[in-house]
Amino acid sequence: MLTTVHTPVGQPATAGRFCNTGYGPSLMPLDIGHPDWMAILGPETAFWSLVRRERLADALADPELLLESYRERRPEFQAEMDQLRFGLQPSAVYFNATDRCNLDCTYCYIPGDLRRHGAHMSGDQLLQALARLKEYFATSMGETTRKPRIIFHGAEPLLNRAAIFPGIDAFHDDFQFGIQTNSTLLDAEAIDFLTTRAVSIGLSLDGPEAAVTDRTRTAWNGDSVHAAVLRSLERLADYPALSVITTVTTANLDRLLPLVDLLHEMKVPACLLNPVRCTLPGARTVKPDDRALATALIAALERTHVLYRASGRKLIVANYANILLAILAPTARRLMCDISPCGGGRAFFAVAASGDLFPCSEFIGLEAFRGGNLFQDGIANALQSAPFKLVTGRDVERFAPCNTCAIRHYCGSPCPAEAHEMNGAMERTGAFCALYEELVRHAFRVIADGREGDFLWEGWDAGTTTLFAL
Amino acid sequence: MQPELKKPEESKKVDTSKPVRAVRKSCTADGVGLSHYILMDRKAK
């Protein structure tokens, strides 16, 4: 049956009537491992649909089942993805107020010498830096009710709380603040300061017991920090703006289920179960096998679902929730690693304690990716610098195998720092290609079973509009 | 104090009679998280 076709200029009226040839859209079938459903994806627009297995051939051949409705909306989806991938302006800064850290984690992306002997940013410099950032965002973000975000990150930011806390007080009307800390210095006074100012707090914990956490996260002298993190979690049990990062490595791969149990029991609302970033050689010593990692992560995800069903309380695994969002509502994603180009240097950038500017904190320590200095060169110049362009120009549409991958805009082939340092070039995949293959398939199975809401924040779609529904 | 929690309702019912399902939602993009941090401005439950 020939149906109405939006004919490209200068082309015959039948142009685009078929999928996968000529002007027709690319629609790729994907086996998601579900007994009843397969996916059909439009990779370049991040379009997805689920099709009964027995109707797969019909869905590709009968324009009225899928092709016609997709073809009508394809330009809109393409424009949305173009805006998301190329049209954003920075609205957040990862701010290292110190180079130093009191821990020596196996996988840290900041070189050990810098963490041991680096500098603190002075209080005056920090205030001056925040003033410059405020000025920049006032221009770059235009008219918006949304505040730019400043996330104090590390190294260990609380080593320089004497500079950070006055900065939060001085600019609390101008920025939404967050802090990622190893929690060893997060005493009652600091918790009171941060929670009364609604600062988003992220802690780091790698194991359900000290013996596991200690394999990758200890003080320089080897002392355990596990108990300190648990104390902080107890104190923050009812704090809604709390999250925990777990770096998944060979050291804790077999302990993710009890770790998820612990985080849920301690009323943590959200965590990141992040595959270790393999940017520096130390991290690669604890890199898990790609598929073993996928199996363990999916088991942990399903455990959070069991806990939710039993208790009514969710533990959101944010890096997985982000994959669901990338499918259901691409612009609603919270994390900007698994999109290409990634968020580094375009949705956010990083400031080191010296004021040096990097596309992302993952690049701090890689001098070749320094784009300038906040105090000397300015932000706009850094964003246009060659090192930033290297990162913002990394596009999965332009290198194999990503450019023909059906899930490239749910994955984004993270991370450019990892690809460059571990695999030798920007236009290579990151460390965990197979992991994304499995997680995306799992996400589609969850959607096929109508369980996606169980893995997402309450009200995740508030503020969204439905562009397309079949 | 955290409010008393209720057991969740059943997951939404899937219409298995439909041969094709698809949904796409849209909003203003404002994600800025990365693998080292996620801003918690959404409620889990």
Side-chain angles (χ1 to χ4, degrees):
Chain A
M1 180 190 327
L2 185 62
T3 56
T4 307
V5 173
H6 296 283
T7 312
V9 175
Q11 296 299 316
T14 52
R17 62 176 288 223
F18 300 113
C19 62
N20 300 326
T21 56
Y23 284 88
S26 297
L27 286 172
M28 296 171 69
L30 181 75
D31 184 1
I32 60 171
H34 192 281
D36 301 322
W37 299 91
M38 287 188 70
I40 294 180
L41 308 180
E44 67 270 21
T45 63
F47 172 77
W48 68 274
S49 57
L50 292 174
V51 182
R52 300 282 307 176
R53 280 183 169 268
E54 68 274 15
R55 301 297 302 276
L56 179 65
D58 293 339
L60 290 169
D62 179 352
E64 292 188 341
L65 267 184
L66 177 63
L67 178 60
E68 186 64 15
S69 50
Y70 172 50
R71 193 165 44 202
E72 280 180 15
R73 307 305 292 273
R74 185 167 63 141
E76 190 179 352
F77 297 164
Q78 188 69 65
E80 183 185 53
M81 290 307 292
D82 286 350
Q83 169 64 20
L84 181 64
R85 297 179 60 225
F86 306 109
L88 301 183
Q89 293 295 319
S91 60
V93 173
Y94 288 83
F95 196 118
N96 284 19
T98 179
D99 295 323
R100 291 181 218 161
C101 190
N102 53 347
L103 302 194
D104 184 27
C105 303
T106 308
Y107 45 71
C108 189
Y109 51 89
I110 300 176
D113 192 52
L114 194 60
R115 281 183 284 121
R116 207 187 254 277
H117 304 297
H120 282 339
M121 184 179 275
S122 73
D124 284 347
Q125 277 182 315
L126 187 137
L127 292 173
Q128 193 188 130
L130 292 180
R132 289 186 180 226
L133 291 167
K134 176 184 171 182
E135 185 182 3
Y136 167 74
F137 285 124
T139 305
S140 70
M141 290 178 68
E143 287 291 319
T144 176
T145 56
R146 190 161 59 95
K147 289 181 184 177
R149 285 87 180 256
I150 300 287
I151 299 101
F152 291 109
H153 212 279
E156 173 45 46
L158 289 178
L159 284 170
N160 196 12
R161 68 199 266 178
I164 288 173
F165 285 9
I168 290 174
D169 268 345
F171 288 88
H172 72 274
D173 287 336
D174 305 301
F175 297 112
Q176 186 173 1
F177 286 103
I179 188 167
Q180 181 69 32
T181 171
N182 63 33
S183 91
T184 56
L185 304 171
L186 193 61
D187 55 26
E189 185 188 359
I191 286 177
D192 182 61
F193 178 90
L194 295 168
T195 55
T196 54
R197 288 156 181 81
V199 175
S200 176
I201 302 174
L203 307 183
S204 301
L205 183 70
D206 281 2
E209 58 265 329
V212 177
T213 300
D214 295 353
R215 291 172 187 163
T216 47
R217 298 184 60 79
T218 64
W220 287 95
N221 63 4
D223 282 355
S224 178
V225 298
H226 183 84
V229 184
L230 295 192
R231 276 196 300 277
S232 295
L233 287 177
E234 284 170 6
R235 289 168 169 160
L236 290 163
D238 289 320
Y239 190 53
L242 170 70
S243 63
V244 170
I245 292 182
T246 295
T247 300
V248 184
T249 66
T250 52
N252 60 4
L253 196 64
D254 61 348
R255 299 297 291 159
L256 293 186
L257 295 188
L259 178 60
V260 161
D261 288 347
L262 174 68
L263 297 179
H264 186 265
E265 182 187 327
M266 301 199 80
K267 300 181 181 176
V268 173
C271 67
L272 293 165
L273 299 180
N274 278 332
V276 61
R277 281 274 180 261
C278 296
T279 302
L280 294 190
R284 295 170 215 154
T285 65
V286 289
K287 175 187 177 298
D289 170 76
D290 214 347
R291 293 206 184 272
L293 174 59
T295 301
L297 273 182
I298 287 171
L301 290 166
E302 291 296 343
R303 180 67 186 165
T304 67
H305 192 255
V306 169
L307 294 169
Y308 169 55
R309 286 280 145 201
S311 70
R313 182 158 40 79
K314 290 178 180 174
L315 168 64
I316 302 295
V317 180
N319 47 314
Y320 175 74
N322 208 57
I323 291 173
L324 282 171
L325 291 177
I327 295 168
L328 298 165
T331 48
R333 65 206 313 146
R334 313 298 301 154
L335 303 173
M336 295 297 283
C337 289
D338 44 10
I339 186 168
S340 169
C342 73
R346 62 184 197 95
F348 53 79
F349 55 89
V351 178
S354 59
D356 284 349
L357 298 165
F358 294 87
C360 168
S361 43
E362 193 71 30
F363 289 98
I364 290 178
L366 301 176
E367 181 63 20
F369 289 91
R370 177 186 174 276
N373 184 278
L374 177 65
F375 302 113
Q376 294 155 17
D377 306 303
I379 297 161
N381 288 335
L383 293 176
Q384 296 304 316
S385 67
F388 274 57
K389 293 282 188 188
L390 256 182
V391 177
T392 58
R394 182 176 182 266
D395 179 355
V396 288
E397 300 283 358
R398 294 164 62 178
F399 60 91
C402 303
N403 55 355
T404 56
C405 176
I407 63 167
R408 58 186 177 268
H409 293 315
Y410 308 135
C411 156
S413 195
C415 143
E418 209 172 40
H420 191 270
E421 296 300 305
M422 176 184 174
N423 292 334
M426 278 294 175
E427 299 198 330
R428 303 252 169 93
T429 60
F432 295 105
C433 180
L435 171 67
Y436 278 88
E437 291 185 274
E438 298 290 352
L439 288 183
V440 170
R441 281 171 168 82
H442 181 267
F444 276 120
R445 293 196 293 275
V446 162
I447 294 168
D449 292 334
R451 295 194 296 149
E452 65 272 22
D454 295 355
F455 291 89
L456 291 167
W457 292 272
E458 288 303 302
W460 68 271
D461 56 352
T464 66
T465 56
T466 300
L467 290 184
F468 189 84
L470 287 177
Chain B
M1 287 291 291
Q2 201 150 9
E4 190 77 16
L5 293 169
K6 293 187 298 187
K7 291 285 172 61
E9 294 173 3
E10 287 300 305
S11 299
K12 75 177 184 193
K13 292 280 183 256
V14 171
D15 183 353
T16 55
S17 67
K18 291 168 67 172
V20 180
R21 294 156 53 199
V23 173
R24 185 179 179 113
K25 293 174 182 281
S26 182
C27 61
T28 303
D30 67 351
V32 293
L34 43 64
S35 60
H36 312 313
Y37 182 80
I38 180 163
L39 183 79
M40 279 300 295
D41 58 354
R42 302 284 169 99
K43 287 183 179 164
K45 182 83 180 181

